[in-house]
Amino acid sequence: MTATILDGRAVSRTVQAEVQAEVQAFGAQYGISPCLAVVQVQGDDASERYARTIQKRCETVGVAFRLEQLRVDVSQEVLNATIGALSADDEVHGILLQMPLPAALSSDDAVRHLDYTKDVDGIHPVNAGLLSLGRPALVPGTPAGGMELLQRYDIPLAGRYAAVVGRSAIVGRPMAALLVQANATVTVCHSKTPDLGRVLRSCEIVAVAVGRAGIVTGDMIAPGAVVIDFGINVLADGNMVGDVDAASVGEVAGALTPVPGGTGPMTNVMLLRNVLIAARRQEETRS
Ligand code: NDP
């Protein structure tokens, strides 16, 4: 491995300490803590574990945490009403609707009841639109975390050629928009891109969010390129790997995020930062 490892664990600790200090300053100014409400429909173990992880992180930095757990057979009307009530509650600054939802429920429908100023997961169409226009928005934590890693390692983006593999609403598309905002020239690749290697070899920055282990290999990467791996894939032996074949890419790339320990640890801390950003905007508007 010759690539520099972009250490998400270390950077996330730094960002978390900054958020903690800012939460204290917010408390001193407004006499309250920023508050995150998580809406979680029961029945998915990973989602329940994630809610507990977020709760612990909130407690660490001083963000108030509220969990709205709904039964697995909850109706769309009750889910929508829960999100609507939290949106109208002045004590709640951020709302996270945990995915996945049971098949009978529509997240698009639920999000229509979400106040976009509290949308700390960046899933509301207004936030997606603001981001694509290059205006201030609440940005999904995963791509925001990828950008934060690039910035903390002083990796220049302006004027550079970048590729994003994957075009999901939560990772690929916002990552492409953020890179455009940073003045990179961006190509978005997806399942219909005929020759991925041809595109990636022409790029100095490569971000991958597909969900397929080893889809990007060293022969697809230009020497010295910076590679951000968002992929999380659990192999049959229980090991977690990214979308990038770290062994071959690590010999060619200039820098690489490891999996685990790269973009993953950044996601939660960027969520906390979004709660703080949302709380500041809401309290400034009120005062
Ligand atoms: P989605 O399944 O929503 O999107 C996958 C994208 O990959 C789609 O745009 C799809 O293209 C594209 N794709 C599929 N096959 C290919 C291919 N052969 N070549 C090029 N592109 C392809 O996934 P997510 O964006 O939600 O997640 C992607 C990965 O990131 C997953 O491993 C997920 O676990 C991980 N993730 C990590 C997070 C973190 O904290 N680090 C948080 C969220 C996700 P098309 O649009 O044409 O179907």
Side-chain angles (χ1 to χ4, degrees), residues 19 21 29 43 66 71 97 107-108 143 160 218 223 239 247 255 271 275 280-281:
V19 170
Q29 187 173 355
R66 208 193 277 186
R71 287 166 47 130
L97 173 59
S107 60
D108 284 351
R160 302 186 87 185
N239 281 329
L271 170 71
V275 177
R280 278 210 175 280
R281 287 189 190 146

Side-chain angles (χ1 to χ4, degrees), residues 154-163 179 182-186 202-205 224-226:
D154 291 325
I155 291 165
L157 299 173
R160 302 186 87 185
Y161 288 93
L179 286 166
N183 295 316
T185 300
V186 184
S202 69
C203 288
E204 298 148 295
I205 312 284
V226 175

